[in-house]
Amino acid sequence: MGKKGFKVKRSKSLYNKKKSTLRKALETAGLIVVIGGLCLLGFAAGRPVFEYFSGENTRDADWQTTTPTLPNSDDEPLIDDTEDQSLVESATTHAAGGLSFFAPVSALENKAALSATLITAKSDGYTSVVVDLKDSTGNVWYKSANPKIQSDEFIKGNLELAEIFSIFEENSMEPIARISTLADRIAPRFLDEVSYWFADSSSKWLDDRLESGGKFWADPTRAGTVSYISELTDEIRAAGFDKIILSNVLFPIMRPYDLSILPSNVTQEGRYSALVELVNQCAPVEIEMQLMDIAQSFGGFSGTAEILKGASSLSENIKIVAVFTRQEDAVIRTSELNSVPLPTDIEEQVGYLFDLAVSNAGGIEIIPCVDRTGMSDAETARAIEAARAVNSGVMVK
């Protein structure tokens, strides 16, 4: 019996038919289009990878680190209070003005610490940084050439002013110097011409008994205090610092006993003139004040705003740094018997207090400063945005 084979039915030939010249041309053109598309897609996908490893992805890196700016007052807010957002994500620099950051004293320990502080501040959207060159204890955080303070009792800083300024330049950040003026525990102790004295010159005055933590203060009515502070500001300005903030321009709290033993020029109503003279000797400068002290003017200015009693005598190149601190259940007194509760909404509270401050400041320019104490990042961002209605440049503590 012969072998039977199996037939395989083919619907198509296993071999291609000979293609026409036209078909070949069309297929070639199609292939070119496909290859071109794949190349374009590959370039688009591959370029970021190449630039990432080559360090050339400047535009994309900027885009990734850039965060949305706060809305204008006419826009819908971008902030969601329920989200955990950093200040950087909610309040970056506007085209005009910008944000200033208050650096910790530790930033002046050495070059590396200052550079790291500036780099971080810049990446967080700040355009300038405030450094405390003299703190409220009286420590001087740079190597001063002032012959009055050449000892470890005064100087705690390890950097020259020129070094500090150059580090700011290297990081393209604006430097702002800040010095505590009259809250000083060190200078009055070692410099007799700076300290408060009893009226009979028998002893230096402290704001309490020594055993109860009494502290020295610098007396603004003394020529020694004025020369000491103005010499420091002159030295700092000569090193390149165009902006200097004077903090603690105020008299200490004085009790009835203190008023009875101190000289009348530090206890009588007209003592504010000594504050005016001190600041004018240091001009141009910015005076740091508490916003509530400026807004609450009923009965006369007091505390950090007492100097405003002599506002008309202040130099024309004086500005005010008004520090907003959130107020809980606070009121503004409008008369001896009446008061007005502050708005509880953060933006409304900022707007209300700064409106009062601008009205009370006698035409002196106000630079808003927001103290973040007790506020979330989102609330801080809202406070900053509200403060921009006063001045586009805002400081953040």
Side-chain angles (χ1 to χ4, degrees):
M1 190 172 173
K3 294 181 180 180
K4 293 184 179 179
F6 293 93
K7 291 184 179 180
V8 179
K9 187 175 180 180
R10 306 181 189 279
S11 59
K12 289 186 180 179
S13 170
L14 294 177
Y15 304 96
N16 291 330
K17 294 181 180 179
K18 187 175 181 180
K19 299 176 182 178
S20 67
T21 302
L22 176 59
R23 182 174 179 179
K24 287 182 179 180
L26 292 174
E27 288 182 350
T28 300
L31 183 60
I32 291 172
V33 171
V34 172
I35 293 174
L38 290 174
C39 289
L40 182 61
L41 179 61
F43 176 78
R47 181 179 177 186
V49 176
F50 171 76
E51 290 179 343
Y52 174 81
F53 287 104
S54 64
E56 296 178 358
N57 193 15
T58 304
R59 184 190 64 172
D60 290 342
D62 288 345
W63 178 83
Q64 291 170 7
T65 57
T66 300
T67 52
T69 57
L70 283 169
N72 293 323
S73 57
D74 296 332
D75 298 334
E76 290 297 321
L78 299 176
I79 305 303
D80 182 355
D81 286 346
T82 64
E83 296 179 2
D84 182 17
Q85 299 185 23
S86 69
L87 181 60
V88 181
E89 293 172 332
S90 56
T92 52
T93 307
H94 281 206
L99 289 174
S100 301
F101 169 71
F102 279 65
V105 172
S106 59
L108 294 177
E109 287 182 353
N110 51 54
K111 291 182 179 180
L114 181 56
S115 293
T117 299
L118 298 184
I119 290 170
T120 300
K122 189 172 184 179
S123 68
D124 285 353
Y126 293 97
T127 55
S128 55
V129 171
V130 180
V131 286
D132 280 304
L133 296 182
K134 177 176 176 286
D135 63 27
S136 58
T137 300
N139 299 312
V140 176
W141 288 96
Y142 68 92
K143 292 183 177 179
S144 173
N146 192 318
K148 297 176 182 178
I149 58 173
Q150 294 304 304
S151 74
D152 292 340
E153 297 288 350
F154 288 88
I155 298 178
K156 304 300 181 183
N158 299 310
L159 300 175
E160 304 279 353
L161 279 172
E163 291 177 302
I164 296 172
F165 188 79
S166 66
I167 294 171
F168 272 92
E169 285 190 315
E170 291 166 6
N171 289 278
S172 300
M173 291 289 281
E174 180 185 25
I176 302 176
R178 180 174 179 248
I179 66 172
S180 177
T181 56
L182 303 177
D184 187 327
R185 318 309 180 214
I186 297 175
R189 178 183 171 193
F190 294 98
L191 305 176
D192 291 346
E193 66 274 19
V194 172
S195 180
Y196 280 93
W197 286 80
F198 286 15
D200 61 5
S201 301
S202 61
S203 178
K204 290 183 178 180
W205 176 83
L206 286 77
D207 62 4
D208 202 345
R209 293 179 181 275
L210 192 59
E211 60 270 22
S212 301
K215 300 177 291 295
F216 289 101
W217 283 75
D219 180 355
T221 68
R222 290 191 170 271
T225 299
V226 176
S227 62
Y228 175 49
I229 300 301
S230 61
E231 286 164 8
L232 291 181
T233 56
D234 288 345
E235 182 178 48
I236 293 168
R237 187 173 292 110
F241 289 80
D242 292 329
K243 294 184 179 180
I244 301 175
I245 299 173
L246 301 183
S247 65
N248 297 312
V249 184
L250 77 167
F251 289 93
I253 295 174
M254 296 175 181
R255 295 166 295 185
Y257 172 73
D258 301 318
L259 299 177
S260 69
I261 60 171
L262 289 169
S264 60
N265 61 345
V266 300
T267 61
Q268 293 181 343
E269 173 63 24
R271 65 180 187 173
Y272 65 83
S273 60
L275 302 177
V276 172
E277 181 182 352
L278 169 63
V279 169
N280 284 345
Q281 285 292 320
C282 299
V285 289
E286 299 166 0
I287 313 170
E288 183 176 328
M289 304 180 192
Q290 291 299 313
L291 179 58
M292 276 292 286
D293 287 346
I294 309 171
Q296 180 71 78
S297 62
F298 172 74
F301 293 108
S302 61
T304 59
E306 184 172 350
I307 191 174
L308 291 180
K309 291 180 178 179
S312 61
S313 300
L314 283 169
S315 173
E316 292 182 357
N317 49 12
I318 299 295
K319 298 179 182 179
I320 296 172
V321 174
V323 182
F324 167 80
T325 304
R326 184 174 194 168
Q327 305 294 319
E328 298 287 352
D329 301 322
V331 298
I332 290 288
R333 290 182 60 198
T334 56
S335 69
E336 189 66 38
L337 300 176
N338 299 316
S339 61
V340 177
L342 290 180
T344 56
D345 177 79
I346 196 70
E347 289 179 75
E348 292 180 6
Q349 189 175 115
V350 169
Y352 180 75
L353 288 175
F354 273 110
D355 282 347
L356 287 175
V358 170
S359 176
N360 294 339
I364 302 174
E365 180 180 348
I366 290 180
I367 302 168
C369 178
V370 174
D371 186 339
R372 291 175 286 181
T373 303
M375 293 194 292
S376 67
D377 289 339
E379 289 173 325
T380 301
R382 293 173 62 206
I384 290 172
E385 184 61 17
R388 288 193 189 278
V390 178
N391 195 313
S392 58
V394 178
M395 295 182 168
V396 182
K397 274 190 172 185

